[in-house]
Amino acid sequence: MESINLENNLKLSFEKLPHTIRLIISKTDEVWVCKKETLKKLFEFVNIDQAHVFRGRLQLIKIDDRITIQIKNENISTISANTFKEVLNKLK
C-alpha cells in the first residue's frame, strides 16, 4: 500500500486490488472515505490539464498541476499531480 500524507493529520492511501485501486482517506488510521477506480482511469485523470473524477463523497479535482481532494464538497487538501502520478507508477 502506498500513501501520501495530507494536511490536518490526514492520509491518502492507495491499495492495489486485483482489478482496481482503492483510494482511502483516513485520519489516524480511521477510514473516512474510500473509492475504487481502475489504474487506467486514474492515469487518464492525472494526465489531463483539467479534470474531475468520482461522484459522491470523495472527489478529486485537477487543475493544471494541482489536485484538490474534496470530501462531501469540502476541500480537505491539495497535492501536486506529480506526487499523485509517482504513487500510481509504483502501483503498476
Side-chain angles (χ1 to χ4, degrees):
M1 186 179 308
E2 299 293 328
S3 298
I4 300 171
N5 290 322
L6 305 174
E7 302 160 11
N8 302 321
N9 295 322
L10 296 172
K11 182 168 54 172
L12 170 61
S13 301
F14 299 77
E15 179 182 11
K16 188 172 183 176
L17 301 173
H19 302 289
T20 58
I21 303 297
R22 182 176 179 225
L23 283 80
I24 305 160
I25 302 288
S26 58
K27 185 171 187 173
T28 56
D29 297 327
E30 179 184 334
V31 174
W32 274 20
V33 66
C34 65
K35 187 73 173 179
K36 292 179 187 174
E37 189 57 81
T38 64
L39 190 59
K40 179 183 176 188
K41 286 191 179 184
L42 291 172
F43 270 112
E44 289 172 359
F45 163 73
V46 80
N47 288 322
I48 295 174
D49 283 339
Q50 293 189 3
H52 188 114
V53 70
F54 305 150
R55 299 288 181 238
R57 293 184 335 161
L58 174 62
Q59 297 183 31
L60 303 178
I61 301 165
K62 181 173 184 283
I63 299 175
D64 299 323
D65 193 34
R66 306 298 300 161
I67 297 173
T68 300
I69 301 166
Q70 288 187 346
I71 295 179
K72 296 181 184 177
N73 296 321
E74 181 182 330
N75 292 351
I76 61 156
S77 192
T78 301
I79 59 173
S80 77
N82 287 335
T83 301
F84 192 86
K85 195 172 190 175
E86 286 171 11
V87 172
L88 294 180
N89 283 323
K90 292 178 185 177
L91 297 169
K92 283 184 180 180

